[in-house]
Amino acid sequence: MARHAHAHTEHEGDDLIEAARHTLTDNGEQWTGMRQSVFEELARHDKPASAYDIADNLSQSRGKRVAPNSVYRILDLFVRTNLANRIESANAYLVNTHPGCRHDCIFLICDDCGKATHIDDDRVTGALRVAGQDAGFTDVRPVVELRGLCDDCAR
């Protein structure tokens, strides 16, 4: 059960792409063709995708090589502007289906199939922020990943 003090709208399909475009441009960044292609490719995945996965798929669909370094730069921008989340333990990325909504996610990652999802619980992430601040850290950003088996794999 998600426990959070905020509300957000989950987007999908063309609505997700439009919400991402608005969020990026509202942050003073340009929505270029390459950025759109990277976002669309990332959104296609239901599992965390690496920059190499995205670069390989874009290279095939475009008929010319797309450098992973270029994809990494775009993904880093997406993380900074809240269009994507980085799954630290997998060095991979997930699209944020509610761009523009700023909060800390708790990621659930299946050890068997690799599927990843998130839950929101501001009590947990808020407590982690406070603990970090109490230890003298500033600009604390909790990164919480839980590993286990998803419902499908547990059956």
Side-chain angles (χ1 to χ4, degrees):
M1 178 176 168
R3 295 190 178 262
H4 45 81
H6 61 273
H8 58 254
T9 302
E10 299 283 339
H11 299 278
E12 59 184 31
D14 291 341
D15 186 43
L16 174 60
I17 293 164
E18 189 61 20
R21 185 181 69 77
H22 279 294
T23 299
L24 193 65
T25 58
D26 287 351
N27 277 282
E29 298 289 345
Q30 292 182 359
W31 184 256
T32 64
M34 182 59 150
R35 289 175 180 175
Q36 180 168 335
S37 294
V38 170
F39 188 82
E40 288 174 349
E41 178 61 29
L42 181 61
R44 215 175 52 71
H45 294 267
D46 62 346
K47 298 175 185 173
S50 73
Y52 287 94
D53 295 334
I54 293 168
D56 287 347
N57 291 345
L58 288 177
S59 294
Q60 288 178 2
S61 67
R62 289 177 158 228
K64 63 179 180 179
R65 184 177 180 276
V66 173
N69 285 347
S70 298
V71 173
Y72 267 117
R73 282 193 293 277
I74 292 170
L75 290 170
D76 286 344
L77 171 66
F78 288 172
V79 169
R80 281 194 315 275
T81 55
N82 206 38
L83 301 185
N85 296 296
R86 185 166 189 268
I87 305 300
E88 303 286 342
S89 64
N91 192 24
Y93 301 82
L94 273 178
V95 73
N96 181 359
T97 57
H98 42 91
C101 179
R102 293 233 176 241
H103 64 277
D104 302 307
C105 296
I106 299 170
F107 294 100
L108 305 166
I109 305 158
C110 181
D111 285 328
D112 195 21
C113 72
K115 177 182 170 186
T117 188
H118 80 277
I119 59 173
D120 304 322
D121 190 331
D122 291 340
R123 295 171 309 148
V124 171
T125 56
L128 291 170
R129 278 184 184 280
V130 169
Q133 291 163 350
D134 288 350
F137 280 74
T138 59
D139 199 23
V140 177
R141 181 184 56 94
V143 176
V144 182
E145 299 178 13
L146 302 175
R147 300 195 69 98
L149 294 177
C150 69
D151 285 343
D152 292 337
C153 293
R155 284 190 210 126

